Amino acid sequence: MNLNRREFLNILAIASANGLAINSPPAFATTGKDALYDLPPFGNASLLHFTDAHAQLLPCYYREPDTNLGAGLHMDRPPHLTGEALLKYFRIPAHTRSAYAFTHLNFTQSARTYGQLGGFAHLATLVKRLRADRPGALLLDGGDSWQGSATALWTQGQDMVKACKLLGVDIMTGHWEFTYGAKRVHEVIENEFAGHIEFLAQNIRTTDFDDPVFKSDTLRQINGARVAIIGQAFPYTPIANPAHFIPDWTFGIQEERLQKIVDSARQRGAEAVVLLSHNGVDVDLKLASRVTGIDFIMGGHTHDPLPVPLIVSNRAGQTVVTNAGSNGKFLSVLDLDVRQGKLEGYRYRLLPVFSRLLPADPEMSHLIESLRAPFISRLNETLARTEGLLYRRGNFNGTFDELILKALLEVNDAEIAFSPGFRWGTTLLPGEAITTEVVMNQTAITYPQVSVTQIDGLELKNRMEDVADNLFNPDPYLQQGGDMVRVGGLTYRMTPHNLMGKRISHMTLHGKPVVANKTYKLASWAPMGNAVQGPPVWDVLNQYLKAHPIIKPDKARNPIN
Amino acid sequence: MNLFRRQFLRLTSVVGALGVTGLSALELVLQAPSALAAVWNKPGFESKVVEEVMKSLGATNAQPSAEIHINAPDIAENGAVVPIEVTSRINNTQSIALIAEKNPFPLAAQVELLNGAEPYFYVRIKMGQTSRIQVLVKADGKFYTAHKEIKITIGGCG
């Protein structure tokens, strides 16, 4: 299904809006902390939003991608701008604090200058500061909070549940949360969350009778303004992650149902309608062009922080699409001016959470310390040290993934290795220790098995083509929002804008072409089936790192020709 | 709200005859009673070629119609059971056929509607690969068509 003409025009409108129609001047040029966090209140109802924290309770480095290609109509437009193109488009001056937050440019040097971002104790300080002059402000969590660290995995997300409650989250939707299994999700919602956090997802139903699994939406009064918030979980959870964790649930984008919920919320008196979305930016942009009556989509999933929102027109009006990035790096602030049943105006700001500018909140610091205490010696165990920058994010490969691939190849004596194109995984600066905690920041999932299989050349290509289409299909509704599978051992060329089946070429292994009917020994992790046996990937990395205590990272390869 | 249970009741009460291929994992196994065996489209269900399926339905010159509504996933969660919901808003709809073009046996379902039956059905079919599905509606002796692509993927990499 391709975009029709109407959608095409709508998306063109995004480009012409150019993000500059927003009625708050970007403060990106400023570097002083007072200017950055000094946001005079506006209107009468405020929403704060973070997303994709990936269980990073402590401040971290997270290098934004150097390669983030768009497909079809989304080519060379936000969010598919990186580095200098991104700075130019959003008019962010180079070599500034903001340029460091939004790009990969001069990463190591900038990281040393401006320090780590995020951390729940620093985020808590910012939330408290903003709430002080925004009474009744709601805090929204876009999902992927409970997964991405050792302590989250070892406590089945319990550390994050506690931290999110203390942070004061009001409303949440999800994605990786579901990989702890349906039972665990229900357990949290029925116990810890009860009376504190509403978990919303209009697009999850039971496979048998199509019954809702979660509440779809909530209508909240904020200083008299009636704001409807609808939850949109990641629509492709059972496809991108193992379906066996949630065997009785079915997902999907569910546009028609969403439209009915929006219309119903309006009928019930909603003066502003917000979709708390885990769709990813491209899907949100398409959805905004087709579903009417949503004022704001506050998005996540693709880890594409939008310095300025994108505005999409549709047949009944317009929808403002925001995205708050990942790993606790950013907090969205949306101030609404609602009067006589109408949204008269708004201001939006995406604030980078610089841990050096925001003192740690003592209460949250204490909680984090107590959550980590039982595990601290294990977390701090040093396995190796890196001489170069280790990062993951990027369409094709990151230096940390190159390291994982080398470990998979060496430890399993395999010819080829696959590692998933996850977008979470923090960054390590040159000279830093690779601890167990660092390894878990790249690997902490509930299906970590490494398997070694024999696979023929044709099947290898088919699998790579399949992932490539999930990344580069011109229709956003046919993308899943991850990056390309990382490939070790073999090299290949990628032509993103070709059709499915024709993107991957020049597959070679040690200089020889890969042969369709020849079998190869493949090591990979994160299996989709529930019967796969194998050691967890962190054990494989542990073994490799102990044998290679000094890591000199390889350059991340880029298969674009 | 319990749509599906309502759909079940509606479907069981209004569908006169329903053909389903052996490849289709149908949510509701409605065996065509022997009295209705005469309407079983044997050549259609046994054909491996879309054109022959069309011929078996007598569907020549089908006109594209926006009055046929297909509700199906963009990406299937499980290719073995792809849910597809079809509604025809065309007056005097007599029959609805569902074709998964790249299936080994493309004709997945054929529904004949008795007088006054609501032109709606919900079915789960098996799909081996990404394919266009086509719906053919017969109304007042004329044929109308609509289609949607459903992607089948190996998945992974969230």
Side-chain angles (χ1 to χ4, degrees):
Chain A
M1 189 173 73
N2 285 315
L3 292 171
N4 64 27
R5 192 177 147 73
R6 178 187 295 275
E7 289 157 7
F8 180 75
L9 292 171
N10 289 339
I11 288 168
L12 281 182
I14 300 166
S16 61
N18 202 21
L20 299 173
I22 307 307
N23 49 7
S24 71
F28 299 125
T30 58
T31 51
K33 65 175 176 179
D34 292 338
L36 186 58
Y37 298 120
D38 180 20
L39 259 61
F42 171 85
N44 51 354
S46 295
L47 301 175
L48 311 177
H49 169 236
F50 70 94
T51 191
D52 296 78
H54 284 288
Q56 294 304 312
L57 284 175
L58 299 179
C60 65
Y61 298 113
Y62 181 83
R63 180 187 183 270
E64 299 294 336
D66 53 44
T67 307
N68 185 17
L69 303 172
L73 302 169
H74 296 264
M75 212 184 304
D76 303 326
R77 299 217 166 92
H80 300 287
L81 298 174
T82 59
E84 276 146 18
L86 182 145
L87 296 183
K88 193 174 164 211
Y89 186 95
F90 291 109
R91 301 183 188 178
I92 302 171
H95 311 293
T96 57
R97 200 180 279 288
S98 293
Y100 159 62
F102 286 104
T103 71
H104 67 283
L105 299 170
N106 310 312
F107 190 82
T108 301
Q109 194 193 336
S110 302
R112 295 199 199 285
T113 306
Y114 301 114
Q116 294 177 312
L117 281 98
F120 267 54
H122 307 272
L123 189 58
T125 298
L126 183 56
V127 167
K128 280 182 181 171
R129 193 187 285 192
L130 292 164
R131 275 184 156 157
D133 49 15
R134 286 169 174 74
L138 295 178
L139 178 59
L140 315 183
D141 173 358
D144 282 3
S145 299
W146 303 358
Q147 176 278 337
S149 75
T151 53
L153 183 70
W154 296 339
T155 64
Q156 298 281 290
Q158 188 65 15
D159 62 335
M160 297 308 297
V161 167
K162 285 197 181 326
C164 287
K165 270 177 80 175
L166 182 61
L167 189 65
V169 170
D170 294 289
I171 294 161
M172 179 186 184
T173 191
H175 167 203
W176 275 92
E177 285 73 15
F178 308 133
T179 63
Y180 290 109
K183 195 175 152 218
R184 173 65 178 146
V185 175
H186 282 306
E187 181 184 83
V188 170
I189 292 170
E190 284 154 23
N191 296 290
E192 294 272 359
F193 276 15
H196 299 277
I197 301 178
E198 272 198 291
F199 194 101
L200 305 178
Q202 69 89 13
N203 58 332
I204 305 179
R205 296 275 171 134
T206 61
T207 49
D208 54 2
F209 288 107
D210 209 31
D211 289 328
V213 176
F214 304 101
K215 203 175 155 186
S216 295
D217 59 301
T218 184
L219 189 57
R220 298 291 188 102
Q221 292 252 5
I222 311 174
N223 305 319
R226 289 187 299 275
V227 181
I229 302 181
I230 305 168
Q232 174 85 356
F234 177 49
Y236 295 131
T237 305
I239 298 163
N241 305 93
H244 61 81
F245 292 121
I246 36 154
D248 303 324
W249 298 356
T250 178
F251 292 63
I253 294 168
Q254 307 299 348
E255 274 184 0
E256 290 174 37
R257 195 189 296 147
L258 176 60
Q259 185 67 67
K260 283 182 192 154
I261 294 166
V262 174
D263 296 345
S264 149
R266 293 280 182 196
Q267 279 161 14
R268 283 177 283 141
E271 295 158 294
V273 175
V274 175
L275 184 69
L276 175 61
S277 163
H278 205 95
N279 280 333
V281 179
D282 290 343
V283 173
D284 281 336
L285 293 175
K286 179 171 171 180
L287 185 138
S289 76
R290 293 161 59 94
V291 176
T292 60
I294 301 174
D295 296 302
F296 300 94
I297 299 180
M298 306 194 81
H301 181 55
T302 44
H303 298 195
D304 295 320
L306 292 172
V308 175
L310 304 174
I311 299 170
V312 181
S313 343
N314 53 48
R315 61 182 189 278
Q318 68 174 38
T319 299
V320 177
V321 175
T322 74
N323 195 286
S326 67
N327 289 277
K329 277 181 77 171
F330 301 97
L331 182 69
S332 278
V333 186
L334 177 62
D335 295 329
L336 307 174
D337 180 15
V338 180
R339 270 177 284 165
Q340 281 97 42
K342 270 186 70 185
L343 179 64
E344 296 289 347
Y346 70 93
R347 282 190 186 163
Y348 177 83
R349 189 75 71 79
L350 184 62
L351 295 175
V353 181
F354 289 106
S355 61
R356 287 187 193 166
L357 301 186
L358 294 158
D361 175 72
E363 201 184 355
M364 184 66 84
S365 288
H366 180 75
L367 174 69
I368 293 171
E369 211 171 294
S370 70
L371 292 169
R372 292 169 57 80
F375 310 106
I376 201 74
S377 60
R378 197 171 160 197
L379 293 170
N380 290 341
E381 187 194 355
T382 295
L383 307 170
R385 195 163 288 281
T386 180
E387 291 191 345
L389 187 69
L390 286 176
Y391 64 90
R392 170 173 281 158
R393 178 74 201 279
N395 275 163
F396 300 110
N397 219 340
T399 50
F400 215 120
D401 286 318
E402 295 283 4
L403 174 62
I404 293 172
L405 292 167
K406 277 170 98 169
L408 288 171
L409 290 171
E410 185 180 301
V411 172
N412 298 291
D413 192 25
E415 296 172 275
I416 298 168
F418 278 178
S419 186
F422 295 135
R423 291 188 173 190
W424 46 270
T426 55
T427 301
L428 214 59
L429 299 186
E432 288 194 297
I434 305 177
T435 59
T436 297
E437 178 158 42
V438 167
V439 166
M440 295 305 286
N441 277 338
Q442 308 292 329
T443 57
I445 63 173
T446 53
Y447 51 109
Q449 299 87 350
V450 173
S451 64
V452 180
T453 48
Q454 297 289 332
I455 184 170
D456 68 33
L458 181 64
E459 181 60 19
L460 269 175
K461 180 169 189 292
N462 286 343
R463 287 211 208 166
M464 291 167 66
E465 290 281 2
D466 189 76
V467 183
D469 195 60
N470 287 334
L471 183 57
F472 295 123
N473 191 300
D475 182 346
Y477 281 14
L478 299 181
Q479 299 167 7
Q480 289 167 27
D483 279 313
M484 183 64 193
V485 58
R486 282 55 170 126
V487 184
L490 71 77
T491 58
Y492 68 99
R493 272 195 222 160
M494 164 75 85
T495 315
H497 304 304
N498 281 358
L499 290 173
M500 168 94 176
K502 296 191 164 56
R503 293 189 179 97
I504 309 285
S505 63
H506 298 79
M507 289 168 64
T508 57
L509 187 62
H510 308 306
K512 288 183 190 159
V514 169
V515 180
N517 57 6
K518 192 172 171 242
T519 53
Y520 300 90
K521 191 177 176 186
L522 171 75
S524 64
W525 66 287
M528 294 295 280
N530 59 359
V532 179
Q533 302 286 320
V537 65
W538 46 81
D539 282 359
V540 172
L541 266 166
N542 194 315
Q543 191 182 331
Y544 179 86
L545 291 168
K546 283 185 172 163
H548 303 272
I550 303 293
I551 295 297
K552 298 179 169 63
D554 289 339
K555 193 171 178 293
R557 290 165 299 160
N558 189 330
I560 293 288
N561 56 2
Chain B
M1 196 163 64
N2 202 329
L3 275 177
F4 190 80
R5 278 186 279 262
R6 281 209 302 280
Q7 287 160 6
F8 181 95
L9 295 172
R10 205 192 301 166
L11 187 64
T12 48
S13 61
V14 303
V15 174
L18 174 68
V20 177
T21 68
L23 274 169
S24 304
L26 184 65
E27 174 70 18
L28 312 163
V29 182
L30 300 178
Q31 297 292 342
S34 56
L36 294 165
V39 299
W40 174 259
N41 179 3
K42 192 165 188 290
F45 283 115
E46 289 179 0
S47 171
K48 295 186 174 185
V49 184
V50 173
E51 288 71 32
E52 284 175 15
V53 171
M54 300 291 214
K55 207 182 287 173
S56 79
L57 298 166
T60 47
N61 298 323
Q63 298 296 309
S65 170
E67 299 303 307
I68 302 170
H69 185 70
I70 307 172
N71 188 15
D74 298 293
I75 309 178
E77 291 178 359
N78 179 354
V81 279
V82 183
I84 297 169
E85 195 177 37
V86 178
T87 310
S88 167
R89 296 193 204 97
I90 302 169
N91 285 339
N92 303 321
T93 293
Q94 298 161 275
S95 75
I96 307 174
L98 175 65
I99 298 168
E101 294 181 351
K102 290 197 180 161
N103 270 12
F105 295 92
L107 182 57
Q110 184 179 338
V111 177
E112 300 293 326
L113 301 155
L114 299 181
N115 282 345
E118 196 173 334
Y120 163 90
F121 72 92
Y122 175 92
V123 69
R124 295 183 183 185
I125 70 168
K126 182 172 178 175
M127 292 176 69
Q129 58 175 308
T130 298
S131 170
R132 201 168 82 144
I133 54 161
Q134 191 177 163
V135 172
L136 280 159
V137 168
K138 187 181 179 187
D140 280 336
K142 284 186 191 154
F143 279 90
Y144 302 88
T145 180
H147 56 80
K148 175 180 172 67
E149 178 111 340
I150 298 178
K151 183 172 170 176
I152 308 293
T153 173
I154 303 164
C157 296

